[in-house]
Structure formats: C-alpha cells, structure tokens
Amino acid sequence: MSTFADVIVPVPLPGTFTYEIPPEKERFVQTGHRVLVPFGSKQYMGIAMRIHHIPPQGVQVKMITEVVDESPSILLSQLNFWQWIASYYMCPLGDVLKAALPSGLKTETRRRAQKLQEVHTQTEFQLNTAQQKAFDLINSSFQEKNVCLLHGVTSSGKTEIYIHLIQQTIQQGKQVLYLLPEIALTTQITTRLKNIFGNHLGVYHSKFTEAQRVAVWQKQLSDDPFNVILGVRSSIFLPFTHIGLVIIDEEHESSYKQQDPAPRYHARSAAIMLANMYNAKVLLGTATPSIETYHNAITGKYGLVELTRRYKDIQLPTVQIVDTKDLTRRKLMEGPFSPLLLSKMRQAIDKGEQVILFQNRRGFAPFIECHTCGWVPKCLNCDVSLTYHKQHNQLTCHYCGFTYPVPAQCPACENNDLQSRGFGTERIEDYILQYFPQAKVSRMDLDTTKTRKAYEKLINDFASGQTNILIGTQMVSKGLDFDNVSVVGIINADSMLNYPDFRSHERAYHLMAQVAGRAGRKNKQGLVVLQTKNPDLPIIHQVVENDYEQLYNDQLAERQLFLYPPFCHLIYIYLKHKKESVADEAAQLLSTQLRQTFGNNILGPDKPTVGRVQTLFIRKIIIKVKLSSSIYKISEYLQTLQQQLLANKGFSALTIYYDVDPQ
Ligand code: ADP
Ligand code: ZN
Ligand code: ZN
C-alpha cells in the first residue's frame, strides 16, 4: 500500500497537492516536514500537511523528490493557524507559507542548533501606584476575559507594565509574544528588554539576516525555546509550544495589516486567534485605541484598563491651533510656516531645546505643474501624478517606484514654466535650512531610512541632542522617547483629513495625538502648533483637548449611520486587467451576481482613487458583511463565483483578490 502526503506548495493556487512518499522514506515523513516536490517544471520546498493512504483519483501522482527534515519544521498548531489565515483572509495556503517561513527555511538548509551569547541581567523598575493598580486590574480582567485593552496616555509607563506581566508569565512557565509595529522596534526597546530578560529574549525582525531569522525559528522548535519573543507582525508565524500571553503594543497601528502581497492579514486579529488556540491572554496597549478595539472594550467583550497620567505626572502638551487659510489670505505665511510656529521654534532653539516637525508627504513637491497650461506629469504605468525629489533631481511614482527625468520645458505648450506645488518633507527641510542656518537639521522619511542603521542613527543623533530639528513623516510619531523636545509642529493637518476613506479622521487623530505626545516628555510641558485650514472641524478640537472619548463617540455615530465597522465587516474585492474594458466588464458581471445575494450591501464597482497601477486597470467592489454572517461561508461562495467568472472567455488573465477587514 502506497503512502501519500498532501503538501502545501508555495504557489498562488488554492488547496494542497498530493504526492507519493518514496517507500524507503515512508516511516520518516510526518505532518510539518519540509519536502522537495516537483510542480510544473520546477522543484519547490513544500510542507507535508496530511499523511494518508488514499490515492487521488484521475491524476497521475508524482513522487516527493526529497524529504528535507529529520523532524518537523512546522508544528501542527502552526498549520492549523495557517489554515485559519487562508480561509479568513481568502488567500491560497501557498501564500501563507510564503509569508510565514523565513526564506532560509524555504531553501534546503538543514536545521542547526543556535549559539547563544551570554547576556548579563541589569534590575527592572518598581511600578508606581497607578501602574501597580493597572497591573492588578489587567490580571483580574484576565480572570474573566481573554483580551484586555490598556488605554494609557503616551509616557504613562505602559512598557513597564508589559515588563512585569512578561515576568509573571515566564514564572508560570509560559511563553510571551510581544508585538510591535515594524518602525517602533528600535534598539531603544530591544536593549531595555535584553537587559531584563537576557537569554530568554528572542528578537524577530524582517530586516534581520536570513540566518538570524532561521536561528530564532529553530530555537523555538528546540527543547529550550525563547520564553519571550519581541517581534514585528510576521512573528505570529513562529513556532510556539506553550504561549501564555500576547502583548500587542500600539494596537491601533494600521501597519499591523499586511497590504501586499497576500495573505492580507491583520496581525492584531490573527494574534488574538493564535492566543485563542493556546488558551493564552492578549493585552492590547495604546494611547489612541482603534475605534474597533475601543468599541469591544466599552461593550464588555474586552477588558478595559486606563492610565490617565504620565509617569511622574508630567503634563500633556498644550496644543495651539493656527488658521492657515486666514494667514494665507493676509499674506502672512512664510512658505509652509506660520509666524507663530517660526517664533516658537526660534525660542526653543535659542534655549537649546529640540523641535519635531511633522509633514505627511515625502519628497520635495507632491507634484509639479506648468504655470502656463496646467500640464502635470504623470506616471506612464499608474494613474498618479509624480512627486518631485530634489536631491536626485527626478520625478518618482510613489506607487510603482518608477523614476523619470525632470523635463526642461513643458511637453504640452513648450514653455519653460514648470513649478513645484505643495510641500514634501524635503522642501520643508530646505526652508528650515534657510530660516535656521545654525541649526542641525535631519529628516526622517522613507527616503532617508532605507536601512535600519540609517533609521537608528537619525533617532540616536536626535536623542543625544546632536540634532536640533527633526523633520519627518508619520515615522516621527512612533513610540520614540525623547527628553528635550519642547515644540512639535504639525505643518498641515488637512492632507490627512481630506483622504477619501471612512477611517481618515480616526487615523488623523491617531497621528496627531501620537506626534503631539513627543512634546515635553520628561522635564516640562511642551507645545504643539497645529496648522490647518479647517480650525473649526470637531476633530481638531478633539486633538486640542486630547478628547479621545469625543472622537470615539463622533466616529461611532457616523459608522453606525453609514454602516461601517464595527457595525459590519468589510470585504474589498479587486479586479485587475491590462485592458480597462475587461476589468470593467468583469466587475460589472461580478457585482450584479453579488447584488442578488447581498442587495444594497454591495458598493461599486468603482475605480479606486488610483485607477491604474503598474499598467493594470483596477476595479473595486465593496461587500458590507453583517456581523451575524460567517466570513468563512462567504469566502467559499466568493471562490465559486470567482471560478465561474474566470471561466468566461477573455477573462482568464484577470487578477482577482480580496482584502478582508481592510485598513
Ligand atoms: P509608554 O509606553 O506609556 O509611552 P514608557 O513605558 O515608555 O511609556 O515610559 C515613559 C518613560 O518613563 C520611560 O523613559 C520609562 O523608563 C519611564 N518610566 C515609566 N515607568 C517607570 C517606573 N515605574 N520607574 C522608573 N521609570 C519609569
Ligand atoms: Zn504647459
Ligand atoms: Zn507608477
């Protein structure tokens, strides 16, 4: 009797593929073993999922080429978790495999034991009264509920509370997974934890070398795994055997959602699911909870613990609003700066204090325009205008990354009258160098932080006072702990507010509150200058008053009225094709079918804001799923519709994918 293995193969096709196990290897292959298998004309590293004796019908079964592992590289619990991801986020298991395994394990390396350096253990801080109380409340909440939200203002010492919870969990003989957004996982936090947990701590980061990542994976499979994993989104895929606590810091961060490629999973939801599988507890921490999480806490699904004071009672900063529309009319703006912001910056610099300027656009100018005829250069592959980058003197598409030379004259009217429009961080830096020629200025955005080293140097230089002014995109808002920042300038709140998405105000609040939280952390109260053309918008006042409750109430009422999460689930369906007519026709067909089932809860098809990316035309359909419906059933139904649609003549080259719980 032959033995077969159903194998997950890293290809974007649904399901597993059955292979015969060579008779001499039969006794060695188990679920979770890596096996080399032929697929099409290639060999792939797959994972054996199920071992059985049922020959597949109507196909010629191929043989496994090689059994790579001596013992399983993937645990059964991990495979269950992968299956959940694939079915909930509607993507092939092969895509989950690709996201989960470090590349080092996708090649034939045999597993090797890891060498560890001895690290000395320094002591942790005592919790103050408020922190101790929060710690106790979290513990009692865990008696009843699996998930608890720690809502604590910036600098209230949430990290200290995490540290105490981690210690408690380790003492119970269980493991801890501590998740941070990519950008917040700096040497600052790593060092702090290494000092306390020494060799018990493993760090897992996407910028680590393959060898480092594989070493962590293997250590987790060994008899002596790390007790604590500090990691980014993808560390939910590591092998755990006895996890007891998951901490998700900055839980509101939209970067916990993987956008591209599939699996488009939300690490917060997935980690809660993971914890569930192990009967573990989850602590969500943030100063600005996501509306969904806060809703779950308020309605009693999650526990809720609040810390309203900063450690040592340092006051939250004062926020002053500046009406830039009025100042522009009165011709009082100096480039992107109000006189107030400039004078406050000058005072701070004169006193040896530091300044952070926040502008959520990178590059020099968001676009350039012909002053004579209005021509704007656009990307040839995508439906967007190009951003001017002065340093390289080129135009860049922020969607596909393509770069173009700056034309000497307007190709439409042949005049030499091309002008920069708007302000990116690079241009803000230019202005600052003119106004403050003595100051040491640095800029933190995607362009200046291509490597982790560059990013950490920017942070360290600012933390040690070598830089006076830090200009940056949302990167400057992420969990940085500086002592000497007295002024924070929000150059333009409007670009965040005008973004066409139901979450734009929530997100703008998060960003502004977080960046404001960088002001006056240790010694004294700081000042935030908030520049906007819409000083009367409620959200601006919510930022000024630090009134999260009001933001939540307003946003929740709006979402209830227009039916958005947390009152439903959203599924976005994307259809892409080289020909616009094909994308359009397919989207029309699909949405007509969907309307028969979901009625008015189907929106679209629409052309997204950027209607073409990398030469493919895009159509988008939105499904608003009732909370009582099962995403898994809908997932099956959509798969069927998709197969029918792709069977249509002319549609075979169509790309269809789903974004479940989009961010
Ligand atoms: P949060 O995570 O809430 O923003 P942190 O945990 O980073 O706050 O704490 C802010 C600062 O206060 C840090 O520099 C931290 O070392 C210090 N701090 C917080 N709690 C304590 C404590 N109990 N003892 C000593 N220092 C503390
Ligand atoms: Zn022109
Ligand atoms: Zn492009």
Side-chain angles (χ1 to χ4, degrees):
M1 192 169 40
S2 313
T3 308
F4 302 93
D6 295 343
V7 177
I8 308 174
V9 184
V11 292
L13 294 170
T16 51
F17 301 87
T18 306
Y19 291 86
E20 188 175 340
I21 304 175
E24 71 277 11
K25 292 284 167 63
E26 234 176 67
R27 285 184 302 130
F28 302 104
V29 183
Q30 293 168 31
T31 298
H33 262 121
R34 290 181 299 157
V35 290
L36 211 58
V37 293
F39 192 96
S41 57
K42 287 193 192 156
Q43 294 280 334
Y44 284 92
M45 180 72 76
I47 308 294
M49 179 113 162
R50 199 168 70 93
I51 316 293
H52 57 88
H53 297 290
I54 311 160
Q57 298 302 309
V59 281
Q60 223 213 317
V61 188
K62 292 182 187 160
M63 193 75 90
I64 285 177
T65 317
E66 201 192 328
V67 179
V68 180
D69 288 326
E70 281 158 24
S71 61
S73 276
I74 290 86
L75 305 175
L76 189 61
S77 54
Q78 287 178 285
L79 291 174
N80 289 337
F81 183 53
W82 291 11
Q83 273 181 310
W84 176 80
I85 299 250
S87 80
Y88 188 86
Y89 292 105
M90 300 184 196
C91 69
L93 259 176
D95 280 342
V96 185
L97 183 159
K98 280 198 241 173
L101 277 193
S103 310
L105 285 180
K106 290 179 211 159
T107 56
E108 271 183 76
T109 43
R110 313 254 160 189
R111 302 208 315 255
R112 248 175 287 122
Q114 200 212 4
K115 273 197 225 113
L116 277 178
Q117 286 170 354
E118 196 54 46
V119 178
H120 292 287
T121 313
Q122 271 186 304
T123 43
E124 80 284 5
F125 296 121
Q126 291 285 316
L127 296 182
N128 68 15
T129 321
Q131 289 168 334
Q132 184 62 44
K133 195 172 157 210
F135 177 83
D136 294 339
L137 285 173
I138 291 167
N139 271 324
S140 48
S141 151
F142 281 157
Q143 301 285 324
E144 292 168 36
K145 290 168 186 168
N146 290 332
V147 185
C148 179
L149 167 65
L150 173 61
H151 179 202
V153 294
T154 45
S155 221
S156 53
K158 293 186 288 297
T159 315
E160 294 305 326
I161 296 178
Y162 302 155
I163 289 170
H164 282 73
L165 284 166
I166 295 171
Q167 270 163 336
Q168 173 183 278
T169 313
I170 297 180
Q171 275 158 18
Q172 293 163 353
K174 293 188 179 153
Q175 293 172 310
V176 179
L177 170 62
Y178 181 166
L179 288 180
L180 273 169
E182 185 89 37
I183 194 88
L185 183 48
T186 56
T187 31
Q188 266 184 347
I189 180 80
T190 314
T191 312
R192 198 159 154 191
L193 292 184
K194 269 267 178 241
N195 284 338
I196 295 168
F197 298 107
N199 282 344
H200 295 293
L201 177 79
V203 182
Y204 198 69
H205 197 284
S206 63
K207 294 244 169 78
F208 275 4
T209 64
E210 274 315 315
Q212 283 171 313
R213 276 150 55 83
V214 172
V216 175
W217 188 287
Q218 291 169 353
K219 169 96 173 152
Q220 292 318 85
L221 288 174
S222 73
D223 302 338
D224 178 30
F226 290 117
N227 294 333
V228 189
I229 292 285
L230 172 67
V232 295
R233 183 171 78 200
S234 60
S235 54
I236 59 171
F237 291 115
L238 281 169
F240 293 98
T241 41
H242 46 285
I243 193 163
L245 175 69
V246 179
I247 296 167
I248 307 176
D249 194 22
E250 313 284 359
E251 69 81 27
H252 64 280
E253 267 292 313
S254 50
S255 63
Y256 276 127
K257 178 81 198 269
Q258 173 152 318
Q259 298 293 356
D260 260 317
R264 295 177 176 79
Y265 64 97
H266 200 305
R268 183 183 63 217
S269 314
I272 291 174
M273 191 64 194
L274 181 77
N276 236 327
M277 291 175 167
Y278 286 88
N279 241 327
K281 301 294 176 186
V282 179
L283 182 68
L284 307 173
T286 177
T288 54
S290 64
I291 299 290
E292 284 92 332
T293 293
Y294 201 65
H295 185 67
N296 281 329
I298 288 285
T299 54
K301 186 172 169 192
Y302 299 168
L304 174 60
V305 175
E306 311 211 88
L307 271 175
T308 51
R309 293 191 158 177
R310 288 180 149 188
Y311 177 69
K312 287 202 175 146
D313 275 347
I314 302 152
Q315 279 179 291
L316 283 164
T318 322
V319 184
Q320 256 178 280
I321 307 177
V322 173
D323 180 349
T324 50
K325 198 169 167 186
D326 176 58
L327 289 173
T328 308
R329 206 178 46 226
R330 295 196 279 138
K331 302 213 163 21
L332 290 175
M333 290 292 282
E334 306 233 17
F337 301 105
S338 61
L340 179 78
L341 180 52
L342 283 180
S343 77
K344 292 294 176 189
M345 284 178 71
R346 195 168 303 281
Q347 284 168 19
I349 304 287
D350 287 348
K351 280 193 258 171
E353 295 164 353
Q354 289 172 303
V355 175
I356 292 180
L357 293 178
F358 168 60
Q359 169 73 334
N360 222 11
R361 290 303 286 259
R362 69 189 168 100
F364 187 82
F367 64 104
I368 62 173
E369 188 181 39
C370 169
H371 196 54
T372 311
C373 76
W375 176 81
V376 173
K378 293 208 161 151
C379 180
L380 294 175
N381 306 321
C382 315
D383 228 356
V384 280
S385 48
L386 299 168
T387 302
Y388 174 51
H389 287 252
K390 191 178 176 189
Q391 193 186 351
H392 303 287
N393 191 32
Q394 64 191 15
L395 298 167
T396 305
C397 171
H398 284 184
Y399 278 77
C400 70
F402 221 78
T403 56
Y404 302 80
V406 182
Q409 51 170 221
C410 170
C413 73
E414 298 187 351
N415 276 304
N416 297 337
D417 211 3
L418 293 172
Q419 297 188 351
S420 310
R421 292 277 184 250
F423 299 97
T425 43
E426 210 186 355
R427 193 170 189 186
I428 305 278
E429 188 183 11
D430 249 33
Y431 271 99
I432 289 294
L433 292 170
Q434 286 171 37
Y435 288 122
F436 301 95
Q438 314 298 351
K440 294 213 177 61
V441 181
S442 63
R443 172 163 59 91
M444 187 152 101
D445 56 30
L446 265 187
D447 301 313
T448 62
T449 55
K450 294 240 159 81
T451 66
R452 198 155 177 85
K453 272 221 174 84
Y455 172 65
E456 300 215 321
K457 183 168 173 12
L458 281 172
I459 293 177
N460 292 339
D461 285 355
F462 195 66
S464 64
Q466 288 181 53
T467 340
N468 312 105
I469 305 177
L470 180 66
I471 302 160
T473 55
Q474 53 174 322
M475 283 186 177
V476 297
S477 72
K478 304 288 179 269
L480 302 174
D481 189 11
F482 302 122
D483 302 352
N484 191 30
V485 178
S486 61
V487 175
V488 164
I490 298 174
I491 308 278
N492 172 6
D494 307 309
S495 60
M496 294 179 272
L497 297 169
N498 296 337
Y499 193 75
D501 185 88
F502 73 98
R503 273 191 241 268
S504 63
H505 280 210
E506 177 191 355
R507 202 163 290 150
Y509 181 92
H510 288 161
L511 276 174
M512 288 193 273
Q514 295 275 346
V515 75
R518 305 301 130 215
R521 286 176 62 110
K522 270 200 181 132
N523 304 316
K524 57 174 226 180
Q525 190 178 26
L527 172 74
V528 179
V529 178
L530 197 173
Q531 302 193 144
T532 174
K533 289 196 182 98
N534 303 287
D536 298 324
L537 278 182
I539 180 168
I540 298 295
H541 291 273
Q542 288 150 12
V543 173
V544 173
E545 307 293 333
N546 195 34
D547 193 349
Y548 178 80
E549 292 283 322
Q550 195 56 47
L551 169 93
Y552 170 75
N553 289 332
D554 281 8
Q555 294 301 310
L556 201 75
E558 219 169 83
R559 300 221 194 151
Q560 186 154 30
L561 190 62
F562 298 108
L563 190 64
Y564 277 97
F567 299 101
C568 69
H569 280 284
L570 292 180
I571 300 174
Y572 291 171
I573 306 179
Y574 291 95
L575 299 99
K576 294 189 178 179
H577 198 275
K578 268 201 160 24
K579 285 194 192 146
E580 183 157 28
S581 58
V582 176
D584 208 43
E585 194 191 337
Q588 291 295 348
L589 256 173
L590 184 60
S591 62
T592 308
Q593 278 178 315
L594 288 169
R595 278 207 167 79
Q596 289 170 8
T597 311
F598 297 98
N600 285 341
N601 287 336
I602 298 296
L603 306 183
D606 286 318
K607 217 183 186 169
T609 329
V610 179
R612 191 175 63 122
V613 174
Q614 290 180 327
T615 74
L616 296 176
F617 288 92
I618 311 170
R619 289 293 181 275
K620 174 178 166 187
I621 301 171
I622 298 177
I623 312 180
K624 290 178 167 177
V625 181
K626 285 195 199 121
L627 295 180
S628 56
S629 314
S630 152
I631 293 263
Y632 310 102
K633 285 220 175 97
I634 293 174
S635 162
E636 277 171 28
Y637 172 63
L638 289 176
Q639 300 291 342
T640 318
L641 287 189
Q642 172 174 341
Q643 273 163 23
Q644 286 169 6
L645 192 70
L646 292 180
N648 276 304
K649 223 176 140 221
F651 287 176
S652 58
L654 197 71
T655 306
I656 302 183
Y657 63 83
Y658 308 92
D659 190 356
V660 181
D661 299 338
Q663 277 295 305

